[in-house]
Every structure is written in structure tokens, then in C-alpha cells.
Amino acid sequence: MKSLPRSIERLADYFSSLPGIGPKTAYRLVFHLVHSPREHISSFAEAINALTKDIAFCGVCRNIMSSDNTTCSICSDEKRDKSTILVVEDILDLFAFENIGTYDGTYHVLGGSISPVQGIGPDQLSIDLLTKRLKTHTEEIELIIATNPNLEGEATGMYLKKEYSHMSNIKISRLARGLPSGADLEYADFSTLDKALLGRSEY
Ligand SMILES: [Zn+2]
């Protein structure tokens, strides 16, 4: 928009780079902030700034964690079953499974899915880390593939299956079908997700 101060344009550009936010909404958010008390704007800016300092990714599973820790709260929890690894595309999927409250294994967050169209190959995902992680185990491990039920998610699942099927101690399973095709796991309701997990079968 012409004639607006540069600081407004700049923040609106940042807001509209966020998922689901178009230019109109971006300006609405900026003007909302402009009319907020100064202290509120400052603490909002501090909260964003804190993301660069306080947040890190777990070296075992790539879950998000506080930078004071060495592994995330799930990996460091003695009660979690380390012989079950649920492989998800992103952290929101991990939260979706955690919210069900019945899964007591661990996770591996891939950081996306294989998508030749978007130029995302296996190297850009945390697959190397998963391979290293699996090699440290000699006991039987169940790897539950919980990628999204769409083209990219399926391709990623197939890739992982091919990658690990020769490892004799790794049993690979996948969520039961029944999740709406093309949907994102993070939007599935608790009972659908719980049923998909309980009804999993060998991949
Ligand atoms: Zn972890």
C-alpha cells in the first residue's frame, strides 16, 4: 500500500509470509498492533525474539525443545517405550498424537515429506538421523509410519520401507487406512487418529 510508513509495510510482509495469512489479513494484524498499548507490542516482539534463543531441536528425534536441554521431554522420559518409533512429517503431527494421550512410545520428526514437485528429496529430511538412530539399536524396534495420507506422504512411507526392510530387527508398520485421503494428520480428530494407530498393520 502506498503512503504507509515503511515499518508497517515491513511487518505486513512478514505476516503475509506466514501460512494461511493473505495480504489483507496481514494489514489487519499490523493495524491491530498499532492500536495496542506500547508494552503489548514490546512483549510481542520479545516473544518472537525468544524463538531464536530458547528453542532447539532434539538431537535424537527432531522434536522441538528448550535450548537448555540435550534431548526433548519425550526422549528423556524413562517411562516412554524406546522400542516403538512413530515417524511423523512434522511437529504438529507429533502434538496430534500426544493429545490422544494413549501412545507411550517415541517419535521421529522427518521435517516434511518427499516431494519431487517441490524439490524436496530424502536428503532434506531427517532420514539420515533416523538411520543412525536405528543402527544404535540391536533389540527389536517397531517403526510406525504415520506420514500424511497423500501422494507425498505415501512416497515417503515407501522410501522408508525400502530403506529399512533389510534390517532384521526393524518391524515396519503403518497406520490403518481410514484417515481421509489427502488430509493432514494434524487435523484428524482424536478418535480417528487413535483408531488408525490401534489398527496399524505391517507395511
Ligand atoms: Zn526427542
Side-chain angles (χ1 to χ4, degrees):
M1 258 182 245
K2 274 182 189 159
S3 77
L4 280 174
R6 178 72 201 117
S7 54
I8 294 204
E9 299 277 7
R10 189 171 165 226
L11 188 55
D13 282 348
Y14 276 113
F15 274 131
S16 54
S17 71
L18 299 174
I21 308 229
K24 242 186 182 171
T25 308
Y27 279 106
R28 199 177 303 138
L29 294 172
V30 176
F31 288 122
H32 177 81
L33 282 172
V34 167
H35 291 107
S36 306
R38 289 286 145 111
E39 313 82 71
H40 176 75
I41 302 176
S42 298
S43 46
F44 184 69
E46 268 165 39
I48 291 178
N49 212 13
L51 292 180
T52 63
K53 297 187 291 245
D54 304 343
I55 297 299
F57 294 92
C58 175
V60 177
C61 75
R62 302 303 284 166
N63 183 15
I64 210 158
M65 64 175 194
S66 155
S67 55
D68 306 334
N69 301 332
T70 46
T71 51
C72 74
S73 55
I74 296 171
C75 288
S76 55
D77 186 345
E78 298 277 309
K79 288 188 223 93
R80 306 292 294 228
D81 172 15
K82 305 289 188 298
S83 69
T84 310
I85 304 174
L86 186 63
V87 183
V88 291
E89 288 183 23
D90 60 46
I91 291 164
L92 285 173
D93 298 332
L94 181 155
F95 288 149
F97 282 104
E98 279 302 279
N99 282 335
I100 309 173
T102 51
Y103 177 68
D104 69 347
T106 60
Y107 294 90
H108 194 85
V109 182
L110 293 172
S113 55
I114 297 172
S115 169
V117 182
Q118 292 175 55
I120 304 171
D123 295 355
Q124 276 123 296
L125 307 175
S126 63
I127 295 177
D128 274 358
L129 185 66
L130 178 60
T131 306
K132 265 189 222 145
R133 182 178 174 186
L134 293 175
K135 280 182 181 161
T136 62
H137 290 274
T138 46
E139 75 275 24
E140 182 140 313
I141 296 283
E142 182 184 3
L143 201 64
I144 309 168
I145 311 287
T147 48
N148 283 325
N150 55 27
L151 218 60
E152 291 82 10
E154 296 290 336
T156 312
M158 299 275 275
Y159 180 89
L160 295 175
K161 189 193 166 197
K162 218 173 80 199
E163 199 69 3
Y164 304 127
S165 54
H166 68 280
M167 294 169 85
S168 58
N169 60 324
I170 311 292
K171 183 185 143 205
I172 305 172
S173 58
R174 61 180 298 170
L175 294 187
R177 293 190 183 268
L179 287 160
S181 177
D184 235 318
L185 284 187
E186 65 183 82
Y187 299 120
D189 61 67
F190 288 6
S191 89
T192 310
L193 222 46
D194 197 25
K195 268 188 217 147
L197 189 57
L198 284 174
R200 66 186 183 265
S201 56
E202 199 170 322
Y203 199 165

Short mmCIF file of all heavy atoms in Angstrom, two decimals, residues 69-97:
data_model
loop_
_atom_site.label_atom_id
_atom_site.label_comp_id
_atom_site.label_asym_id
_atom_site.label_seq_id
_atom_site.Cartn_x
_atom_site.Cartn_y
_atom_site.Cartn_z
N ASN A 69 18.02 -27.99 27.17
CA ASN A 69 18.06 -29.45 27.26
C ASN A 69 18.94 -30.07 26.18
O ASN A 69 19.28 -29.41 25.21
CB ASN A 69 16.64 -30.01 27.11
CG ASN A 69 15.71 -29.48 28.19
OD1 ASN A 69 16.15 -29.15 29.29
ND2 ASN A 69 14.44 -29.37 27.87
N THR A 70 19.27 -31.34 26.39
CA THR A 70 20.04 -32.03 25.35
C THR A 70 19.14 -32.92 24.50
O THR A 70 19.37 -33.10 23.31
CB THR A 70 21.17 -32.88 25.96
OG1 THR A 70 20.63 -33.61 27.05
CG2 THR A 70 22.33 -32.01 26.41
N THR A 71 18.09 -33.47 25.15
CA THR A 71 17.08 -34.21 24.36
C THR A 71 15.70 -33.73 24.79
O THR A 71 15.54 -33.14 25.85
CB THR A 71 17.16 -35.74 24.60
OG1 THR A 71 17.14 -35.99 26.00
CG2 THR A 71 18.38 -36.36 23.99
N CYS A 72 14.69 -34.00 23.96
CA CYS A 72 13.35 -33.50 24.25
C CYS A 72 12.72 -34.25 25.43
O CYS A 72 13.23 -35.28 25.87
CB CYS A 72 12.46 -33.61 23.01
SG CYS A 72 11.92 -35.27 22.63
N SER A 73 11.59 -33.73 25.90
CA SER A 73 10.95 -34.30 27.09
C SER A 73 10.48 -35.74 26.84
O SER A 73 10.41 -36.54 27.78
CB SER A 73 9.79 -33.43 27.53
OG SER A 73 8.90 -33.26 26.45
N ILE A 74 10.18 -36.08 25.60
CA ILE A 74 9.71 -37.45 25.30
C ILE A 74 10.89 -38.42 25.29
O ILE A 74 10.86 -39.46 25.93
CB ILE A 74 8.93 -37.48 23.96
CG1 ILE A 74 7.67 -36.62 24.08
CG2 ILE A 74 8.59 -38.92 23.56
CD1 ILE A 74 6.93 -36.37 22.79
N CYS A 75 11.97 -38.06 24.59
CA CYS A 75 13.16 -38.93 24.53
C CYS A 75 13.80 -39.11 25.91
O CYS A 75 14.37 -40.16 26.19
CB CYS A 75 14.19 -38.37 23.57
SG CYS A 75 13.70 -38.52 21.85
N SER A 76 13.70 -38.09 26.76
CA SER A 76 14.35 -38.23 28.07
C SER A 76 13.42 -38.84 29.12
O SER A 76 13.83 -39.06 30.26
CB SER A 76 14.89 -36.87 28.53
OG SER A 76 13.85 -35.93 28.53
N ASP A 77 12.20 -39.16 28.74
CA ASP A 77 11.25 -39.75 29.68
C ASP A 77 11.48 -41.26 29.79
O ASP A 77 11.30 -41.99 28.82
CB ASP A 77 9.82 -39.45 29.19
CG ASP A 77 8.75 -39.90 30.18
OD1 ASP A 77 9.06 -40.68 31.10
OD2 ASP A 77 7.59 -39.48 30.01
N GLU A 78 11.89 -41.70 30.99
CA GLU A 78 12.19 -43.12 31.23
C GLU A 78 10.99 -44.03 30.96
O GLU A 78 11.16 -45.19 30.61
CB GLU A 78 12.58 -43.31 32.71
CG GLU A 78 13.83 -42.56 33.13
CD GLU A 78 15.09 -43.32 32.76
OE1 GLU A 78 15.15 -44.50 33.12
OE2 GLU A 78 15.99 -42.72 32.12
N LYS A 79 9.79 -43.48 31.14
CA LYS A 79 8.59 -44.31 31.01
C LYS A 79 8.19 -44.55 29.55
O LYS A 79 7.37 -45.42 29.28
CB LYS A 79 7.42 -43.66 31.76
CG LYS A 79 7.58 -43.76 33.27
CD LYS A 79 6.32 -43.28 33.95
CE LYS A 79 6.59 -42.40 35.15
NZ LYS A 79 6.64 -40.97 34.91
N ARG A 80 8.74 -43.80 28.63
CA ARG A 80 8.35 -43.98 27.23
C ARG A 80 9.07 -45.21 26.66
O ARG A 80 10.24 -45.46 26.95
CB ARG A 80 8.72 -42.75 26.37
CG ARG A 80 8.19 -41.43 26.86
CD ARG A 80 6.70 -41.28 26.76
NE ARG A 80 6.16 -41.25 25.44
CZ ARG A 80 5.27 -40.33 25.01
NH1 ARG A 80 4.89 -39.34 25.80
NH2 ARG A 80 4.76 -40.41 23.82
N ASP A 81 8.32 -45.96 25.86
CA ASP A 81 8.82 -47.19 25.27
C ASP A 81 9.73 -46.84 24.07
O ASP A 81 9.26 -46.45 23.01
CB ASP A 81 7.61 -48.03 24.82
CG ASP A 81 8.02 -49.23 24.02
OD1 ASP A 81 9.21 -49.59 24.02
OD2 ASP A 81 7.12 -49.83 23.37
N LYS A 82 11.06 -47.05 24.28
CA LYS A 82 12.04 -46.65 23.26
C LYS A 82 12.08 -47.62 22.08
O LYS A 82 12.74 -47.36 21.08
CB LYS A 82 13.44 -46.53 23.88
CG LYS A 82 13.54 -45.58 25.08
CD LYS A 82 13.41 -44.14 24.68
CE LYS A 82 13.70 -43.14 25.78
NZ LYS A 82 12.81 -43.17 26.95
N SER A 83 11.36 -48.74 22.20
CA SER A 83 11.40 -49.71 21.11
C SER A 83 10.29 -49.46 20.08
O SER A 83 10.13 -50.22 19.14
CB SER A 83 11.32 -51.14 21.65
OG SER A 83 10.02 -51.36 22.16
N THR A 84 9.51 -48.39 20.29
CA THR A 84 8.49 -48.03 19.31
C THR A 84 8.74 -46.60 18.85
O THR A 84 8.84 -45.69 19.68
CB THR A 84 7.07 -48.14 19.93
OG1 THR A 84 6.94 -49.39 20.56
CG2 THR A 84 6.01 -48.00 18.86
N ILE A 85 8.89 -46.43 17.54
CA ILE A 85 9.15 -45.09 17.00
C ILE A 85 8.06 -44.74 15.98
O ILE A 85 7.90 -45.44 14.99
CB ILE A 85 10.55 -45.01 16.33
CG1 ILE A 85 11.65 -45.42 17.31
CG2 ILE A 85 10.81 -43.61 15.78
CD1 ILE A 85 13.05 -45.52 16.69
N LEU A 86 7.31 -43.71 16.28
CA LEU A 86 6.25 -43.25 15.38
C LEU A 86 6.85 -42.15 14.49
O LEU A 86 7.30 -41.12 14.98
CB LEU A 86 5.10 -42.71 16.22
CG LEU A 86 3.81 -42.28 15.54
CD1 LEU A 86 3.13 -43.45 14.85
CD2 LEU A 86 2.85 -41.71 16.59
N VAL A 87 6.87 -42.41 13.19
CA VAL A 87 7.51 -41.46 12.26
C VAL A 87 6.46 -40.51 11.69
O VAL A 87 5.51 -40.94 11.03
CB VAL A 87 8.20 -42.22 11.10
CG1 VAL A 87 8.93 -41.25 10.19
CG2 VAL A 87 9.19 -43.24 11.67
N VAL A 88 6.62 -39.24 12.00
CA VAL A 88 5.66 -38.23 11.54
C VAL A 88 6.37 -37.19 10.66
O VAL A 88 7.59 -37.06 10.72
CB VAL A 88 4.96 -37.51 12.72
CG1 VAL A 88 4.02 -38.44 13.47
CG2 VAL A 88 5.98 -36.89 13.68
N GLU A 89 5.57 -36.47 9.88
CA GLU A 89 6.16 -35.45 9.00
C GLU A 89 6.60 -34.21 9.77
O GLU A 89 7.67 -33.69 9.55
CB GLU A 89 5.17 -35.06 7.90
CG GLU A 89 5.00 -36.15 6.87
CD GLU A 89 4.08 -35.74 5.73
OE1 GLU A 89 3.92 -34.54 5.47
OE2 GLU A 89 3.52 -36.65 5.11
N ASP A 90 5.72 -33.72 10.64
CA ASP A 90 6.12 -32.50 11.35
C ASP A 90 5.65 -32.51 12.80
O ASP A 90 4.93 -33.41 13.24
CB ASP A 90 5.71 -31.23 10.60
CG ASP A 90 4.23 -31.15 10.41
OD1 ASP A 90 3.49 -31.41 11.37
OD2 ASP A 90 3.79 -30.82 9.28
N ILE A 91 6.09 -31.48 13.51
CA ILE A 91 5.87 -31.43 14.95
C ILE A 91 4.38 -31.34 15.30
O ILE A 91 3.94 -31.87 16.31
CB ILE A 91 6.71 -30.28 15.56
CG1 ILE A 91 8.19 -30.67 15.47
CG2 ILE A 91 6.33 -29.99 16.99
CD1 ILE A 91 9.17 -29.56 15.67
N LEU A 92 3.58 -30.71 14.42
CA LEU A 92 2.14 -30.62 14.69
C LEU A 92 1.50 -32.01 14.70
O LEU A 92 0.57 -32.27 15.44
CB LEU A 92 1.46 -29.72 13.67
CG LEU A 92 1.71 -28.23 13.86
CD1 LEU A 92 1.14 -27.44 12.70
CD2 LEU A 92 1.12 -27.73 15.18
N ASP A 93 2.03 -32.92 13.86
CA ASP A 93 1.53 -34.29 13.86
C ASP A 93 1.88 -34.98 15.18
O ASP A 93 1.09 -35.71 15.76
CB ASP A 93 2.11 -35.10 12.69
CG ASP A 93 1.73 -34.52 11.33
OD1 ASP A 93 0.66 -33.89 11.24
OD2 ASP A 93 2.50 -34.69 10.38
N LEU A 94 3.11 -34.72 15.65
CA LEU A 94 3.53 -35.28 16.94
C LEU A 94 2.57 -34.80 18.04
O LEU A 94 2.08 -35.59 18.85
CB LEU A 94 4.97 -34.82 17.23
CG LEU A 94 5.66 -35.28 18.51
CD1 LEU A 94 7.17 -35.27 18.32
CD2 LEU A 94 5.31 -34.43 19.71
N PHE A 95 2.25 -33.51 18.03
CA PHE A 95 1.32 -32.97 19.04
C PHE A 95 -0.05 -33.63 18.92
O PHE A 95 -0.70 -33.90 19.92
CB PHE A 95 1.16 -31.45 18.89
CG PHE A 95 2.38 -30.69 19.34
CD1 PHE A 95 2.71 -29.48 18.76
CD2 PHE A 95 3.18 -31.18 20.36
CE1 PHE A 95 3.84 -28.77 19.17
CE2 PHE A 95 4.32 -30.49 20.77
CZ PHE A 95 4.65 -29.28 20.17
N ALA A 96 -0.48 -33.89 17.67
CA ALA A 96 -1.79 -34.52 17.47
C ALA A 96 -1.81 -35.90 18.16
O ALA A 96 -2.77 -36.24 18.85
CB ALA A 96 -2.09 -34.65 15.99
N PHE A 97 -0.73 -36.67 18.01
CA PHE A 97 -0.68 -38.00 18.65
C PHE A 97 -0.53 -37.87 20.18
O PHE A 97 -1.12 -38.63 20.93
CB PHE A 97 0.46 -38.85 18.07
CG PHE A 97 0.11 -39.44 16.74
CD1 PHE A 97 0.63 -38.93 15.58
CD2 PHE A 97 -0.77 -40.51 16.65
CE1 PHE A 97 0.30 -39.46 14.33
CE2 PHE A 97 -1.13 -41.06 15.43
CZ PHE A 97 -0.59 -40.52 14.26
#
